[in-house]
Amino acid sequence: MWGGRFSERPDELMQAINVSIGFDRRLAAQDILGSKAHAAMLARQGMISRDDEARIQEGLGRIAAEIESGEFPFREAFEDIHMNVEARLTELIGPAAGRLHTARSRNDQVALDLRLWVRDACDRTAAQLRTLQITLLAQAEAHSDALMPGFTHLQPAQPVTFGHHMMAYVEMFGRDAARFADARARMNESPLGSAALAGTAFPIDRQATAKALGFERPMANSLDGVSDRDFALEALSAASICMIHLSRIAEEIVLWTTPQFGFVALSDAFTTGSSIMPQKRNPDAAELVRGKTGRVLGALTSLAVTMKGLPLAYGKDMQEDKEPVFDAFDALELSLKAMAGMVADMKPDTERMAAAAGAGFSTATDLADWLVRKLDLPFREAHHVAGAAVKRAEGLGLGLDELPIEEFQRLEPRITADVYQVLTAKASAASRSSYGGTAPEQVQARIAQWKERLR
């Protein structure tokens, strides 16, 4: 493709390090889409004939069909997806193929292809996030009043409902979807027409190609057009945060399915066994989601390090942008599907969770709050009395709700038997009726809002 300047073939090692068709073939659909839009614009602007455009469009259509059917001859001799498509187009339609690269460079071509691919990936991810949220909503709605312990430091803190816990992840994944939407909006500008780096002297219509490819507008600076990979970094950042959320719920599933917790069970569909221990049921799908988080975080770091020292405009270092992006979104999309499957498959043990909800003196805060409301104690004093009650109950081997009234009155004489009304896990959860709280009516109201939003 550059034989006029070079008289010898590249060394085999140069070929090995330079070739990218092994991974950038994944940009084939985007490459053909961009070429079709470019060819149509060239014809409208009078830079190629309508006959040549027709041959180019027909040839690109045949190439797309060959790729779809698996018959396309990807060849390392042509280095990348752009040159593979152009070489095949030349074989199919002859010299007219050589007109397609008018007013275009591989620099703006690859910037366009990757931007289109990442935009599509953001759309796929948004759809998968919606599916996961709907699945979480179903669990939340079915168990909006099912009690479970809430934890801080992985120690029993206060009773919550399983529905409230599921809704926490609906909120997290909602923010993830918003981040991908924001990233998509910012990346929706076309670099096509930036050419190598300085624009072109040909009378192209960048507005037309941008519109044809679904972009809001062309990028306003040709140097930025070919050198920017912010869109990929931002998408990987959103993917990394999303994977962190997936990893957190995966970790909880791993914990909850242990016999020690026993809060939920997974079926054979999302667990595996052991080659040596017949009793084992391992939550491997959750563990693999947790493990894949490192790959996505690593992809973000990899691309950031690649880009951090590059002067404008294009450097071949940027060939290293694609594999981490592809790998990260492969991992993310598989993880989202797996998590939606696991969440749908989970069978909560509501009796076991309810029993655990009242353990560990989880209603101590409710005792302190009662002392504030009924006896007008300052909260710090109430906190001290409640702490002393916990210490006494612990010494007697009792729960707070089992501590005799006489023991309470030794700590604060004005305490009455009414205090027992707030010392159950059910009463504790029901009392948390502030906006965003765990009270079942609050949970149900938020479920209704999210169902409407995702409809």
Side-chain angles (χ1 to χ4, degrees), residues 28-63:
Q30 290 77 20
D31 196 70
I32 291 170
L33 189 66
S35 290
K36 282 177 167 285
H38 186 66
M41 181 275 295
L42 292 176
R44 280 196 305 271
Q45 296 298 105
M47 286 182 278
I48 64 173
S49 70
R50 287 294 182 180
D51 287 343
D52 281 345
E53 187 219 346
R55 283 192 286 272
I56 289 170
Q57 297 287 4
E58 190 272 336
L60 290 171
R62 287 176 61 183
I63 291 170

Side-chain angles (χ1 to χ4, degrees), residues 298-434:
L300 173 59
T301 301
S302 173
L303 183 55
V305 171
T306 295
M307 297 302 298
K308 72 169 183 63
L310 296 187
L312 298 181
Y314 181 83
K316 200 59 180 279
D317 316 49
M318 292 164 70
Q319 184 165 288
E320 296 298 314
D321 60 0
K322 298 165 197 65
E323 287 182 285
V325 170
F326 296 156
D327 186 69
F329 275 96
D330 287 347
L332 174 61
E333 292 175 27
L334 180 58
S335 296
L336 284 166
K337 292 176 184 176
M339 186 55 66
M342 280 186 284
V343 170
D345 187 65
M346 282 194 310
K347 297 294 185 291
D349 187 333
T350 55
E351 291 185 7
R352 178 146 184 160
M353 287 193 299
F361 308 104
S362 64
T363 57
T365 307
D366 299 275
L367 171 58
D369 290 347
W370 186 89
L371 292 169
V372 171
R373 288 195 308 270
K374 298 296 184 180
L375 305 184
D376 197 30
L377 264 63
F379 181 78
R380 282 298 163 212
E381 185 178 342
H383 184 282
H384 180 81
V385 172
V390 168
K391 183 176 181 179
R392 183 60 179 156
E394 189 175 44
L396 295 174
L398 301 172
L400 269 181
D401 60 334
E402 299 170 322
L403 193 65
I405 189 65
E406 296 81 13
E407 296 291 342
F408 280 117
Q409 289 172 343
R410 285 194 182 98
L411 302 171
E412 168 49 65
R414 293 177 293 164
I415 294 177
T416 67
D418 288 346
V419 74
Y420 292 105
Q421 296 176 12
V422 303
L423 296 182
T424 66
K426 183 176 182 180
S428 175
S431 72
R432 300 297 193 262
S433 57
S434 58

Side-chain angles (χ1 to χ4, degrees), residues 439-453:
E441 66 267 22
Q442 282 291 329
V443 175
Q444 290 157 8
R446 191 59 176 159
I447 290 170
Q449 291 169 354
W450 267 108
K451 287 174 73 175
E452 181 65 26
R453 185 184 300 185

